[in-house]
Structure formats: C-alpha cells, structure tokens
Amino acid sequence: MDFPLKELKHDFIALYGGDMTNIQVYFAPGRVNLLGEHTDYNGGLVMPFSLQVGTILLVRKRNDRKIRFNSKNFKVNADVCLITDIARVGNEWVNYPLGVINEFRLKGLEPVGMDLLYMGNIPNGAGLSSSASIEMVTAFAVNDLNNFGVSKLEMVHMSQRAENNFVGMNCGIMDMFAVGMGMDNRVIMLDCDTLDYSLVEIPMEGNVFIISDTKKERKLADSKYNERRSQCEAVVEIVNSHHPIKNLSQLSVAQWDQYKSLISDEVLRKRAKHVITENQRVKDGMAALAHHDLTLFGQKMNASHESLKTDYEVSCYELDVLVEAAQNVNGVLGSRMTGAGFGGCTISLLPEVSVATFKNEVGEIYQQKTGLKPAFYLAVPSEGVRKL
Ligand code: GLA
C-alpha cells in the first residue's frame, strides 16, 4: 500500500499533540471500471474493482464536540464544531468528509469529536474515485469509532448521498460500491438497479490490467455528466409513454431497435444506444470471463470505448490517442477509457510480458501527439475499505 505510516503518525502528533497510543488507522481504495460506463445511473450493469491505492486516514477521538481535518495532499484544513449545523467549505476537498459526517447526523447518529489526518496515493482528478475513497474511509472510521453499527452497504448509500446532496455532484452508486465491497483478486459484477452483486475471479492467465493516465485535467466533466444524465432521462420519458420503463437499462438491444424510431432527436438516440448496448457488453463480458475467453473480453472493452467516443461522446482527444496507441501494441487484448471521461485514465488488458513494450510504445506516441507525459500503473483487484 506504500504509505509512510510512522511518518504520518509523527505528522499527526505535530498537528494535534498527544502521543501515538490512541491513533486508529483506516484505508479505503480507489476503483477502476472494466466495463459498463455511464450505466450506473441508468440502472444498469457495471464491472469495477477496487485498487491497491487509495486513502489512508489517521483518527483519534477528542473529549469535546470538535472535528478537525487535515490532509497531506491539500493545503486547506478545517475545524468544525458539532454543536451547530455543518456547512460547506467553498469547493474544498473537506466537503467530502463533511458531507459524510452530515449524513450520520441526518440519521440521528451524533459522532464524538475527532482529529483526522488524510493521505491519498490515488492521482487526484484522474477518474479513479479519490473522492469516493475519502468518503468511504470517513464513513467506515466514524462508524467504527462511535460503534454506530451501520452496515457497509448503508455507508455506500450515505457516501453517494453526501456527494449528490452536500458536494453537489450527481454521480451514480458505482464508485462508492466498488470502494466498499471490493475483494482481493475479484471483480465486482453489480446490477445498479437491484444492487445484486457477485465477486468474480478473473482468469488472468499471465495477463495484467494497466491504467494509463492522460494527465489531462477533467474540466468539463461535471457539467457534461449532468447533461448526459438528463438526456437519458428524456429518452426514458418518451419511451415510457409507449412502453413502461423505469430506466434505460430495462430495454434490451432488440427492444431498443423496436422503440428507437420514437426518438426524433439524433443526439438522444445516440446516448440511449450507448447505454443499452453497453449493458449488453457487460453481459457478454461476464460470459466471456466465465468461459476464460479474455480475447472476447478485450474485444468488448474496445467496443465499449468506440461507443463512449462516438455515441455517448464523453471521450476526448487524449483518451482516444492513448486507447488507439494501446490497441495497436502487439498482444494487447483490449483498451478503453474508464470512469466519467473528458480526461482521466484508460484501462488496458495485456500479457504481463508485453508491459515494458506497452509503456514504451504508448508513452512515445502519446507524448508525440499531445505533448503530455502519461503515467502508467498496474491495477490489481484489492480489498475494499478496512481498518488497518
Ligand atoms: C463517474 C461517476 C460514476 C459513474 C461513472 C461513469 O465515475 O461517479 O457514478 O457514472 O462516472 O460510468
């Protein structure tokens, strides 16, 4: 996990005083998604796993009703008094944990005062869910320290509500769920409508997943994300007047072929096509894994990227360059953007023996075409949120 724990404990004491005896340590990972993009808020299927990198949290109870926040990654800190209502602090990182603490209070669960120190090793803004990681590590630690007995699934819901209502980002449930429920060497197959899920071992057979970071800031991501959501809702409304559906994922590809002529707006038609075909790709991907067919799985990843690029239009030049360069490396089974899009990262499946060539070839082409230096990380499915 690679955190300088001893140093962090010294930092904690330098900030808050006292000694090391009662400092508790928690960890929540980031996540990457293999298939099923922009399907979660459409009641669809997703296939994420939690990463080996994430957020570590050092925390100690206080004798008063104050909560103090510090982070090794961000300059802004905050002191909050639990006697009054919790208010947002500008657009700062601290709104993620504040939103979660607010959720406990909305349930009538009043936490004790605490000193908190966070450190993350997920690249910020790379679309690997550093925010869900901060939320879930906070929820887990607050629940544990106060013996509230809240289930992990409820913490997932609370973190999503914190992000939707307190932070103001209208995300789906995938990120928090993956950060909470992940297991070593397992990918999560989640139905975002029913929240039925299974943890499935991937037959890697000498292959690995590599995350490539565009290092491009995701500027438009939030506004475009909300726009895509309302476009999907608009299609549901139109189809609903002919055939009752709750969300787009209730339509099979065959049903979509039947109803698509109801949608006169070409853009809306493309958006819906992505969601409906992407759901089918997740189903096909699951079947491919069950048959140990990583070649077919990789083809589904490639098709997912094409659909995100052409029909959902959430890719960007940098992501497309990375994906195309990756797909052209000898031996690569599949590559696609991962997460919300408009920058961030790609995920590629390739033989372990090809990793060095991959980094060289993709790195060179990407730098040449964009002037940016990409970063590469090995992505290993790892355990979800926990106490260390
Ligand atoms: C972001 C959101 C998720 C999901 C993905 C796209 O990561 O937080 O809920 O919608 O984008 O699949």
Side-chain angles (χ1 to χ4, degrees), residues 128-172:
L128 301 175
S129 291
S130 53
S131 51
S133 168
I134 295 176
E135 287 154 1
M136 283 299 289
V137 79
T138 307
F140 196 89
V142 170
N143 182 56
D144 189 55
L145 275 185
N146 292 276
N147 288 316
F148 283 150
V150 171
S151 72
K152 230 196 258 179
L153 182 60
E154 183 51 19
M155 289 179 217
V156 168
H157 286 297
M158 289 165 73
S159 296
Q160 189 193 7
R161 285 198 297 268
E163 185 135 356
N164 291 169
N165 305 333
F166 196 86
V167 177
M169 163 68 186
N170 212 6
C171 63

Side-chain angles (χ1 to χ4, degrees), residues 43-54:
L45 303 167
V46 292
M47 210 190 270
F49 64 75
S50 41
L51 295 166
Q52 69 279 28
V53 289

Side-chain angles (χ1 to χ4, degrees), residues 157-322:
H157 286 297
M158 289 165 73
S159 296
Q160 189 193 7
R161 285 198 297 268
E163 185 135 356
N164 291 169
N165 305 333
F166 196 86
V167 177
M169 163 68 186
N170 212 6
C171 63
I173 201 166
M174 168 173 73
D175 303 346
M176 299 80 190
F177 198 97
V179 166
M181 304 303 192
M183 251 178 85
D184 281 343
N185 300 316
R186 298 281 195 281
V187 64
I188 303 170
M189 310 280 195
L190 170 66
D191 179 327
C192 297
D193 188 29
T194 59
L195 296 189
D196 286 341
Y197 75 104
S198 51
L199 293 157
V200 177
E201 195 163 357
I202 305 185
M204 293 307 284
E205 290 161 5
N207 296 289
V208 289
F209 287 108
I210 297 284
I211 291 173
S212 311
D213 188 346
T214 57
K215 293 289 182 83
K216 189 201 166 210
E217 228 185 301
R218 296 187 312 139
K219 267 202 198 122
L220 285 172
D222 287 8
S223 64
K224 292 287 180 195
Y225 187 90
N226 290 339
E227 185 188 282
R228 294 297 179 279
R229 277 195 82 139
S230 27
Q231 288 169 331
C232 293
E233 282 156 20
V235 178
V236 170
E237 208 171 301
I238 300 169
V239 175
N240 212 0
S241 56
H242 294 77
H243 170 87
I245 51 164
K246 193 165 72 170
N247 57 51
L248 276 183
S249 305
Q250 290 184 329
L251 292 178
S252 65
V253 175
Q255 280 172 316
W256 173 241
D257 282 338
Q258 199 182 329
Y259 294 116
K260 67 183 175 201
S261 58
L262 296 171
I263 319 292
S264 51
D265 183 317
E266 203 209 324
V267 172
L268 291 189
R269 245 198 338 253
K270 289 205 297 183
R271 304 296 187 251
K273 180 183 162 210
H274 164 72
V275 174
I276 293 158
T277 57
E278 183 76 353
N279 257 321
Q280 186 57 45
R281 280 186 285 275
V282 182
K283 288 182 193 159
D284 295 346
M286 289 183 189
L289 290 187
H291 291 106
H292 289 215
D293 189 346
L294 286 189
T295 305
L296 181 60
F297 189 82
Q299 286 164 2
K300 297 295 161 191
M301 292 175 73
N302 292 343
S304 168
H305 185 79
E306 186 53 38
S307 177
L308 287 158
K309 174 183 165 184
T310 312
D311 288 332
Y312 216 61
E313 296 180 284
V314 290
S315 188
C316 63
Y317 176 70
E318 291 80 359
L319 283 168
D320 293 342
V321 170
L322 266 189

